């Protein structure tokens, strides 16, 4: 399923849960973060004049770092191994190339105007830092429909699909009925007063849409049957789904999806693709960014740092020096570089692992709108492809970009290693299981398995082995080197682009404080 039991447990922790659940989630890097929230940057104008900083990587973290340093007057140079900025913030359009480390290649063939957000595709309203940058940089946003009651779920292939709305409301109705029965049988008298008992029964009748006898017999909230033949008649409720079927473990994610803050309304997307954000940053810092510069070696000097990189344009090795270095490269990739870091730092860099994730996208006639009246949201199916993600932009146009497969977590590495044709066939099969007879609309497929993408080698960090001590160590300066990026200095609202941006701002603040103290000390010594 798209949201696994692990993600379902995250939702439980978000609304309260016992200590064992919260401890388990903390070990997975989920749930509320104990990290401090980075404060707004208020750097003195001209603070960095005369100080040079080298930034490695031009993803969100690198671009935020560069912009904030330039604003404060630092001399900045950014080295990016790709021939584009954005890192994992990557929107693919007609003619764009996808190249894997193992030599597999694809070319996006979508019609002009269509795009595929292969990396991050949604911005929660809690991600204030990214939203504030969008506002400042003039990136137009539109609402993203992340949850639709009209989407489909099929947790058990021996039963037909049903809607998210029916799953949610039938589960609520059944459980309300069970609790009402328990209250009526005085099973809760030891914890409820007489007044609380009366109020709870009244609440459950409304909450679960129970009958006068406090039984669940179905609800129009779960959807209704086809409109009756004669005008003015009330629609009939669909027959409730059995509770046993609703308790299927693979349904938990769908039931709790919109309760988890990262996936709750309101969510946004940039108009025209997620890379509109990194494009806007790039327009502000383009003179400081060098593309196709593959870093190979990092050395700390007495008075600065030296970085050796391969210039893929000229084919030559180049060495660049600066007073300080901020690397925003994925930590597992930094661990592979030739560095003179201490053993403690090298061990900390090796502690997190890159995760795996594959998205499969198709151009398709928008049958989910015309025939299913589904406008955005996600459908889940018990299948290797896991889910379907419907677009919520450009509604009622002829074609749309359907993500028919978003595979993360357990089994993602196996899926991503399969031949592309096998992945596409699996994706089509998932569409057929939820929308029988409609897979013939799918054409021009494209898959991105992030563990196979050079200079990323994963969609995000697995934090299972990333200890608090290792994380804290990498949040400090080491000589003249700083680390920033997704997964460091979490803001309490998850990871994604928000974590990368907040980490960058935190490190810039650290460096600014260091430079300020050095100058104050120098001024005192000259008095």
């Amino acid at each position: 399923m798209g949201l696994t039991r692990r993600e379902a447990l995250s939702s439980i922790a978000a609304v309260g849960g016992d200590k064992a659940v919260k401890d388990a989630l903390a070990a997975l890097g989920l749930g509320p973060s104990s990290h401090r929230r980075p404060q707004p940057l208020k750097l003195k104008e001209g603070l960095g004049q005369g100080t040079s900083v080298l930034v490695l990587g031009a993803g969100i973290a690198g671009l935020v770092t560069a912009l904030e340093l330039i604003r404060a007057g630092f001399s900045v140079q950014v080295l990016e191994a790709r021939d584009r900025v954005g890192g994992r913030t990557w929107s693919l359009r007609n003619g764009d190339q996808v190249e894997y480390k193992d030599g597999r290649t694809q070319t996006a063939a979508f019609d002009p105007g269509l795009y595929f957000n292969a990396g991050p595709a949604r911005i929660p309203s809690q991600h204030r830092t990214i939203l504030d940058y969008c506002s400042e940089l003039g990136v137009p946003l539109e609402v993203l429909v992340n949850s639709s009651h009209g989407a489909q779920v099929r947790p058990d292939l021996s039963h037909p699909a049903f809607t998210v709305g029916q799953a949610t409301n039938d589960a609520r109705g059944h459980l309300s009925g069970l609790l009402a029965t328990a209250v009526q049988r005085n099973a809760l008298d030891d914890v409820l007063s007489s007044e609380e008992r009366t109020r709870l029964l009244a609440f459950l009748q409304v909450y679960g849409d129970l009958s006068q006898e406090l039984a669940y017999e179905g609800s129009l909230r779960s959807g209704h049957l086809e409109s009756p033949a004669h005008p003015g008649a009330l629609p009939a409720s669909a027959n409730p789904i059995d509770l046993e079927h609703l308790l299927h473990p693979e349904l938990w994610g769908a039931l709790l999806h919109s309760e988890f803050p990262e996936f709750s309304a309101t969510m946004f997307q940039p108009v025209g693709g997620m890379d509109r954000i990194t494009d806007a940053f790039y327009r502000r810092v383009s003179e400081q960014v060098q593309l196709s510069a593959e870093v190979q070696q990092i050395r700390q000097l007495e008075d600065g740092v030296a970085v050796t990189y391969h210039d893929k344009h000229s084919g030559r090795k180049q060495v660049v020096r600066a007073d300080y270095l901020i690397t925003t490269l994925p930590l597992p990739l930094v661990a592979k570089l030739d560095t003179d870091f201490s053993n403690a730092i090298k061990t900390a860099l090796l502690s997190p692992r890159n995760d795996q994730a594959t998205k499969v996208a198709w151009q398709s006639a928008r049958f989910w709108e015309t025939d299913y009246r589904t406008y955005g949201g996600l459908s889940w199916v018990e299948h290797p492809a896991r889910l379907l993600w419907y677009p919520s932009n450009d509604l009622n146009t002829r074609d749309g970009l359907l993500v028919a497969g978003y595979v993360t977590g357990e089994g993602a590495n196996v899926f991503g290693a399969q031949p592309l044709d096998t992945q596409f066939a699996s994706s089509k099969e998932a569409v057929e299981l939820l929308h029988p007879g409609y897979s013939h609309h799918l054409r021009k497929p494209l898959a991105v398995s992030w563990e196979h993408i050079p200079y990323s080698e994963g969609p995000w960090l697995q934090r299972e082995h990333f200890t608090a001590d290792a994380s804290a160590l990498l949040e400090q300066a080491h000589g003249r080197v700083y680390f920033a990026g997704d997964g460091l200095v979490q803001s309490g609202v998850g990871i994604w682009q928000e974590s990368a941006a907040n980490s960058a701002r935190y490190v810039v603040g650290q460096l600014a404080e260091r430079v300020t103290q050095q100058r104050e000390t120098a001024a005192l010594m000259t008095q």
Side-chain angles (χ1 to χ4, degrees):
M1 302 283 281
L3 275 179
T4 63
R5 275 169 278 187
R6 173 189 184 208
E7 292 164 313
L9 287 172
S10 302
S11 301
I12 295 171
V15 295
D18 62 33
K19 185 176 185 299
V21 171
K22 292 183 177 180
D23 289 346
L25 291 170
L28 295 174
L30 298 169
S33 171
S34 61
H35 283 77
R36 56 202 170 278
R37 180 183 296 276
Q39 297 299 309
L41 289 176
K42 297 178 181 178
L43 304 184
K44 184 183 300 183
E45 185 177 352
L47 167 68
Q49 288 184 0
T51 303
S52 60
V53 183
L54 189 60
V55 179
L56 305 185
I60 286 289
L63 293 170
V64 169
T65 299
L67 177 63
E68 296 297 348
L69 288 174
I70 292 167
R71 283 172 165 167
F74 289 87
S75 173
V76 178
Q77 182 176 358
V78 182
L79 299 180
E80 168 56 53
R82 296 178 172 91
D83 60 1
R84 62 172 180 85
V85 300
R88 288 170 289 192
T89 300
W90 192 20
S91 301
L92 290 156
R93 300 177 179 81
N94 184 279
D96 287 340
Q97 299 287 316
V98 176
E99 298 179 351
Y100 282 179
K101 292 170 57 185
D102 60 11
R104 287 180 289 174
T105 62
Q106 302 169 79
T107 301
F110 311 130
D111 287 355
L114 295 178
Y115 60 88
F116 169 33
N117 287 323
R122 46 197 168 186
I123 306 174
S125 53
Q126 295 89 349
H127 287 191
R128 302 171 184 173
T129 302
I130 287 294
L131 289 173
D132 285 349
Y133 277 122
C134 287
S135 176
E136 177 193 345
L137 299 174
V139 179
L141 299 176
E142 59 189 357
V143 171
L144 178 141
V145 179
N146 193 52
S147 179
S148 169
H149 274 200
Q152 305 282 303
V153 287
R154 194 172 179 184
D156 185 343
L157 298 185
S158 65
H159 292 77
F162 47 95
T163 67
V164 171
Q166 186 164 19
T168 301
N169 287 287
D170 282 355
R172 181 184 298 158
H174 283 305
L175 295 175
S176 295
L178 288 173
L179 183 55
T181 298
V183 173
Q184 289 175 305
R185 293 177 178 176
N186 303 320
L188 299 178
D189 281 1
D190 58 336
V191 294
L192 293 175
S193 68
S194 176
E195 181 180 354
E196 289 170 336
R197 180 180 183 276
T198 300
R199 288 185 177 181
L200 178 57
L201 288 174
F203 168 76
L204 290 173
Q205 185 172 22
V206 175
Y207 182 71
D209 199 10
L210 305 182
S211 68
Q212 290 299 315
E213 293 74 27
L214 298 181
Y216 183 63
E217 300 171 353
S219 171
L220 282 179
R221 301 173 190 170
S222 299
H224 51 73
L225 304 178
E226 293 294 326
S227 299
H230 59 287
L234 294 175
S237 301
N239 292 327
I241 299 169
D242 293 340
L243 179 59
E244 180 182 3
H245 191 33
L246 291 170
L247 293 179
H248 195 294
E250 295 297 347
L251 191 58
W252 297 355
L255 291 175
L256 293 169
H257 179 53
S258 61
E259 303 304 319
F260 189 41
E262 293 285 5
F263 302 108
S264 63
T266 304
M267 302 192 77
F268 304 95
Q269 60 188 355
V271 176
M274 190 62 74
D275 62 351
R276 296 300 192 233
I277 298 176
T278 50
D279 287 348
F281 274 105
Y282 188 46
R283 286 193 291 270
R284 299 283 291 270
V285 302
S286 59
E287 292 183 3
Q288 285 77 25
V289 177
Q290 182 172 344
L291 301 175
S292 299
E294 184 177 30
V295 173
Q296 297 177 332
Q297 184 186 81
I298 298 173
R299 290 289 183 269
Q300 295 214 55
L301 312 173
E302 289 186 5
D303 58 349
V305 293
V307 170
T308 301
Y309 68 92
H310 174 66
D311 186 335
K312 293 191 289 185
H313 289 308
S314 67
R316 298 177 180 174
K317 284 188 177 182
Q318 306 283 356
V319 178
V320 60
R321 289 179 170 80
D323 295 317
Y324 298 97
L325 171 70
I326 299 176
T327 173
T328 69
L329 305 178
L331 299 181
L333 299 190
V334 178
K336 295 180 181 181
L337 298 177
D338 176 6
T339 68
D340 57 0
F341 298 153
S342 68
N343 289 335
I345 293 297
K346 290 181 178 180
T347 299
L349 289 170
L350 287 169
S351 61
R353 306 285 191 274
N354 273 322
D355 215 329
Q356 302 90 32
T358 296
K359 282 186 182 179
V360 182
W362 301 80
Q363 180 174 331
S364 174
R366 303 176 82 108
F367 62 83
W368 53 89
E369 294 175 5
T370 58
D371 292 13
Y372 284 83
R373 300 300 176 185
T374 300
Y375 299 89
L378 292 87
S379 288
W380 289 271
V381 60
E382 178 54 19
H383 183 271
R386 308 267 171 94
L387 64 77
L388 273 62
W389 188 343
Y390 310 101
S392 54
N393 59 298
D394 300 324
L395 300 177
N396 287 329
T397 54
R398 188 190 69 178
D399 281 4
L401 200 291
L402 175 67
V403 174
Y406 186 12
V407 187
T408 63
E410 185 179 353
N413 57 334
V414 175
F415 189 94
Q418 293 175 335
L420 293 169
D421 286 346
T422 303
Q423 294 181 30
F424 298 150
S426 180
S427 173
K428 271 194 169 185
E429 187 176 63
V431 172
E432 277 295 306
L433 290 170
L434 290 169
H435 303 289
Y438 284 88
S439 66
H440 71 275
H441 288 291
L442 307 177
R443 60 193 192 279
K444 303 179 180 179
L446 188 71
V448 172
S449 296
W450 279 99
E451 60 271 23
H452 296 293
I453 299 296
Y455 310 119
S456 292
E457 299 187 13
W460 49 74
L461 293 180
Q462 291 181 346
R463 296 187 63 87
E464 285 89 338
H465 307 290
F466 196 17
T467 66
D469 288 343
S471 180
L473 185 63
L474 296 177
E475 290 175 16
Q476 305 170 22
H478 294 277
R480 292 173 176 264
V481 175
Y482 295 80
F483 301 94
D486 168 26
L488 287 169
V489 190
Q490 293 188 62
S491 63
V493 287
I495 47 176
W496 305 5
Q497 297 174 107
E498 184 78 355
S499 173
N502 282 334
S503 174
R505 291 166 61 84
Y506 175 71
V507 165
V508 170
Q510 279 187 312
L511 179 56
E513 182 178 359
R514 179 174 180 171
V515 170
T516 299
Q517 290 177 348
Q518 287 176 344
R519 293 188 175 177
E520 290 176 350
T521 300
L524 288 173
M525 293 179 65
T526 59
Q527 291 179 357

